[in-house]
Amino acid sequence: MGSVKGCRWKILVAVKQVSSLEEDFEIRADGRDVEPDFLVRDLNEWDEYSLEEAVKIKEAGAEVEVVAVSVGPEVADEALRKCLAKGADRAIRVWEDAVAGSDSIAVARIVAAVARREKADLVFAGVQSSDHSFASTGTAIAGFLDWPHAAVVNQLAYVQGATRAEVRRELEGGVLQLMEVDCPAVFTIQLGINAPRYASLRSIKQAAAKPIETLCLGDIGLSSADAGEAGSLSRVRRMYVSAKGRAQMIDGTPAEQAARLAAIIKKFTGAGA
Ligand code: AMP
């Protein structure tokens, strides 16, 4: 476990390398995911905001270290490098073959284990990931750590070392909720909480040269039974594109439309056959 010298407080930011679909794509031969060649990858949008929020606390405090952590294969390094370029001090990626197929619970177990290893003071996650939209990993991290949490946070006041954070949460129908949360805590961060910075060319170059710490399950006190399908509470059975083109407009006078509708109903129910 590393630490930036002089930093006493640590914020762990869970970040995901998400995928979006190219216009034309194919489902994988086993029918459970999209063929990887048809995916475009980037840092999850929500995680841009949670990283920025952590970096802002660091800039206000001077003794705060921001550690980005991602559970994913080597390609997730791209997302972590983006975090390093935008102000994270360190980056950690957890992976081994047994992690493939992890659901949000298994991912949360892994992030929580890293938070314990790093002795983090706060953990930030995005409200949701744009590709899988489980919207559950952050709160599950809090569950594994047995820490309090606040979800859908759109304003956060925390100074380094504080025993409490003040947060504003976004509820349904424009209702807002102000809360005090004892720290250490987990917060899931909503879009719009801040204005994420752009990385400068210089910081992108510097980030490219920084190391990314790669850990396996054994390094964080877990085994293959804790990850992948073995450590998950849900499994994808099938992924498919819904059938299109089944709607039709019925034109004509009301009488003609009624007659046409009756004929369609008879056809589908077998009535009058
Ligand atoms: P989800 O629960 O999948 O909608 O994702 C919500 C948040 O959980 C994301 O914004 C990330 O902060 C975190 N998260 C999800 N998947 C991962 C992952 N593979 N590695 C690290 N953090 C993740």
Side-chain angles (χ1 to χ4, degrees):
M1 184 190 80
S3 258
V4 170
K5 222 173 157 212
C7 287
R8 293 176 56 207
W9 315 105
K10 203 177 281 190
I11 306 177
L12 199 80
V13 185
V15 299
K16 184 179 182 192
Q17 172 87 304
V18 288
S19 311
S20 54
L21 296 176
E22 288 196 340
E23 205 166 313
D24 292 317
F25 62 88
E26 287 170 19
I27 301 287
R28 217 168 57 188
D30 69 0
R32 295 173 69 197
D33 212 336
V34 175
E35 260 306 321
D37 291 350
F38 297 93
L39 297 175
V40 181
R41 297 187 174 80
D42 202 354
L43 175 63
N44 184 34
E45 193 182 358
W46 278 263
D47 304 346
E48 301 248 9
Y49 289 85
S50 55
L51 177 76
E52 177 67 29
E53 204 57 23
V55 173
K56 275 171 59 191
I57 293 171
K58 169 179 114 163
E59 287 170 345
E63 284 183 281
V64 179
E65 180 180 9
V66 175
V67 182
V69 57
S70 193
V71 179
E74 203 174 339
V75 69
D77 280 354
E78 284 167 34
L80 287 169
R81 293 223 178 274
K82 198 169 184 183
C83 296
L84 289 169
K86 288 179 174 228
D89 298 294
R90 289 168 47 226
I92 298 174
R93 182 170 61 82
V94 184
W95 190 251
E96 62 181 59
D97 289 350
V99 177
S102 293
D103 70 356
S104 57
I105 299 298
V107 168
R109 185 182 289 115
I110 294 170
V111 174
V114 176
R116 257 187 240 111
R117 180 182 192 265
E118 288 287 326
K119 298 190 174 54
D121 297 283
L122 288 180
V123 176
F124 289 175
V127 167
Q128 67 179 78
S129 55
S130 58
D131 53 359
H132 287 127
S133 303
F134 289 126
S136 59
T137 309
T139 46
I141 295 169
F144 282 113
L145 290 171
D146 203 13
W147 286 3
H149 78 274
V152 202
V153 170
N154 67 6
Q155 196 174 75
L156 173 69
Y158 172 85
V159 286
Q160 64 178 35
T163 53
R164 242 176 233 174
E166 283 176 28
V167 303
R168 190 179 70 192
R169 300 179 54 225
E170 188 181 299
L171 306 181
E172 218 185 336
V175 176
L176 298 172
Q177 186 184 54
L178 297 177
M179 287 178 74
E180 284 181 0
V181 183
D182 291 347
C183 295
V186 178
F187 299 122
T188 72
I189 305 292
Q190 176 64 310
L191 301 179
I193 187 173
N194 52 41
R197 70 197 64 197
Y198 289 98
S200 67
L201 213 57
R202 188 162 163 263
S203 58
I204 293 171
K205 275 190 187 158
Q206 284 170 343
K210 282 193 184 172
I212 290 176
E213 199 177 337
T214 49
L215 302 176
C216 61
L217 294 169
D219 295 326
I220 49 174
L222 299 178
S223 74
S224 53
D226 298 311
E229 291 202 350
S232 295
L233 300 181
S234 59
R235 277 154 291 279
V236 177
R237 285 174 52 204
R238 188 178 160 224
M239 194 181 273
Y240 62 100
V241 180
S242 64
K244 282 187 199 147
R246 302 193 67 179
Q248 56 173 283
M249 295 300 291
I250 301 172
D251 298 321
T253 63
E256 285 165 350
Q257 288 180 18
R260 175 81 189 113
L261 203 54
I264 292 170
I265 292 168
K266 273 187 195 154
K267 185 178 160 204
F268 279 100
T269 58

